Amino acid sequence: MEINLEKLAFDLDFHPSENLVSAALVNGDLLLYRFSSDSAPQKVLEVHAHTESCRAVRFIDDGRAIVTGSPDRSILATDVETGGTIARLEDAHGEAINKIINLHQSKIASGDDGGCIKVWDTRQRSCCGTYQAHEDYVSDMTFVPDAMKLLGTSGDGTLSVCNLRKETKVQARSEFSEEELLSVVLVKNGRKVVCGSQNGTLLLYSWGCFKDCSDRFVDLAPNSVDSILKLDEDRIITGSENGLISLVGILPNKIIQPIAEHSEYPVERLAFSHEKKFLGSIAHDQLLKIWDLDSLLQDSENILRSETTAEASEDNDNHEMDVDINPPRSNRGTKRRSTPTANSDNFFADL
């Protein structure tokens, strides 16, 4: 199924227990849709959340509220039921906010265009950690709860590791990569960190050895890998500049199968619904698409079986097939940085 958002979307997120999906739009709006597999999606909420674009969105508080971030440097908490403002933090960052993720029920993290990462406690209503992790925009983050570490990637080409037990401690930072790092996940039971890059290379880092990557996987190049989701410990799902959504195996590294094509435009973000029943994707075409994940994976398995049979037959006949693995590239959007202002550490005063 697909939803015409009528504006370019920068981020999306699914409700933690219901069939609700939110989208953050370039005009500053926050949209919320209810969906099901047997009926058309219905818009249930539309809020003009920010004076500038809305770049980041996440459900918090068991889905009762949504937080959004913007280049206007504010973070807004919106009530899911009423659409009313719960709290707004002006000047939450010194520069444009580019990313927000959940850490656990009462904490979130936000990253800005200047490379600063902040951790917010929604119960204590304050900032509880500030980390100058990067020299350029924070592109993605992922939380490692067992180690209380926060991994971040950046346009400066580095991977950072922040120790959340210490309010300002950047524990490690990788050497500079030649390409911007755009996405990050942790796989192999916490032993491997996978980063997507602007040139399409996947960089693999071993846990505890963050200085330089231990492996590179180049089969997705030259299309940038803007979004990565962890399907399980051995497989990830990638969204690329060529509009393809692919299932990729990690160690052994291989493209298992492209499982969907959003459009000819770059995939901006991917997200799982609760229980991973659905996969959501947004791209530079103003459409939010919701895919039945089980169906995608089953189709992939059927195609693989068919290809294996065909390859065996071709080997017997000594025939080979030429395949174009480099389709035309699409233009990617750019992110604008904002003028720094004073920071504020008081958050969710009314939450």
Side-chain angles (χ1 to χ4, degrees):
M1 72 188 82
E2 64 181 43
I3 301 169
N4 186 356
L5 302 172
E6 300 181 355
K7 300 289 183 182
L8 180 66
F10 282 138
D11 201 7
L12 79 160
D13 193 36
F14 285 91
H15 192 278
S17 59
E18 299 182 34
N19 284 351
L20 292 170
V21 61
S22 58
L25 304 189
V26 67
N27 63 346
D29 283 359
L30 164 67
L31 301 183
L32 183 64
Y33 287 84
R34 185 175 298 278
F35 66 93
S36 67
S37 56
D38 55 1
S39 62
Q42 299 294 320
K43 185 191 296 184
V44 295
L45 186 66
E46 181 174 1
V47 175
H48 188 63
H50 297 277
T51 57
E52 297 186 41
S53 62
C54 191
R55 283 192 190 170
V57 60
R58 282 297 181 274
F59 283 94
I60 63 167
D61 195 20
D62 294 326
R64 290 187 288 269
I66 302 174
V67 290
T68 52
S70 169
D72 65 14
R73 300 181 296 279
S74 72
I75 297 178
L76 173 70
T78 300
D79 187 279
V80 168
E81 290 295 329
T82 66
T85 296
I86 298 173
R88 182 187 295 274
L89 176 61
E90 303 290 352
D91 300 327
H93 277 256
E95 298 201 34
I97 297 169
N98 193 52
K99 188 73 178 179
I100 294 176
I101 68 165
N102 283 307
L103 303 183
H104 47 73
Q105 186 173 5
S106 63
K107 289 187 179 180
I108 61 173
S110 55
D112 69 23
D113 274 4
C116 179
I117 295 173
K118 289 191 174 187
V119 176
W120 305 91
D121 189 322
T122 59
R123 290 178 178 172
Q124 298 297 322
R125 306 170 183 178
S126 64
C127 174
C128 56
T130 301
Y131 308 86
Q132 190 57 49
H134 299 282
E135 297 178 7
D136 206 336
Y137 71 92
V138 177
S139 56
D140 198 10
M141 296 178 285
T142 192
F143 178 50
V144 187
D146 292 342
M148 285 300 291
K149 301 294 193 299
L150 182 63
L151 306 177
T153 51
S154 170
D156 64 11
T158 63
L159 167 71
S160 67
V161 184
C162 297
N163 184 352
L164 299 189
R165 293 187 175 94
K166 299 182 179 180
E167 294 183 1
T168 60
K169 179 66 173 179
V170 179
Q171 179 175 318
R173 186 184 292 114
S174 72
E175 294 180 348
F176 290 95
S177 169
E178 294 180 358
E179 295 290 333
E180 299 178 15
L181 299 186
L182 305 176
S183 46
V184 59
V185 293
L186 183 67
V187 295
K188 294 294 182 180
N189 298 302
R191 299 194 305 273
K192 290 292 180 179
V193 179
V194 182
C195 299
S197 71
Q198 190 179 34
N199 70 354
T201 300
L202 295 181
L203 280 65
L204 277 65
Y205 295 83
S206 297
W207 185 263
C209 302
F210 300 110
K211 194 70 173 177
D212 196 7
C213 64
S214 59
D215 199 3
R216 293 172 180 265
F217 179 60
V218 300
D219 288 13
L220 293 168
N223 299 289
S224 64
V225 180
D226 295 83
S227 186
I228 300 178
L229 295 179
K230 173 183 173 179
L231 181 62
D232 53 38
E233 297 300 334
D234 301 309
R235 297 178 298 172
I236 61 175
I237 295 176
T238 63
S240 297
E241 182 182 19
N242 59 359
L244 290 181
I245 301 170
S246 301
L247 182 63
V248 178
I250 300 298
L251 296 178
N253 301 328
K254 61 179 179 179
I255 299 177
I256 298 172
Q257 186 70 39
I259 56 175
E261 183 177 10
H262 182 103
S263 67
E264 62 180 341
Y265 298 102
V267 176
E268 182 78 15
R269 288 285 188 272
L270 300 173
F272 287 132
S273 69
H274 65 280
E275 300 179 348
K276 293 184 179 179
K277 180 174 175 57
F278 297 99
L279 171 70
S281 62
I282 54 173
H284 294 180
D285 60 356
Q286 303 181 8
L287 296 179
L288 191 163
K289 295 190 177 183
I290 301 174
W291 314 82
D292 185 298
L293 187 57
D294 288 339
S295 177
L296 291 181
L297 296 178
Q298 184 60 49
D299 290 346
S300 173
E301 291 175 2
N302 292 338
I303 292 172
L304 281 176
R305 282 195 290 268
S306 298
E307 289 182 346
T308 300
T309 302
E311 287 173 0
S313 176
E314 287 177 1
D315 287 341
N316 292 335
D317 295 334
N318 294 320
H319 290 315
E320 293 184 357
M321 180 183 296
D322 294 329
V323 179
D324 182 6
I325 60 172
N326 293 311
R329 301 182 65 183
S330 301
N331 293 326
R332 296 183 65 239
T334 58
K335 297 182 175 70
R336 296 181 179 178
R337 303 181 62 176
S338 302
T339 304
T341 63
N343 294 344
S344 172
D345 292 339
N346 183 24
F347 190 34
F348 287 166
D350 299 317
L351 185 60

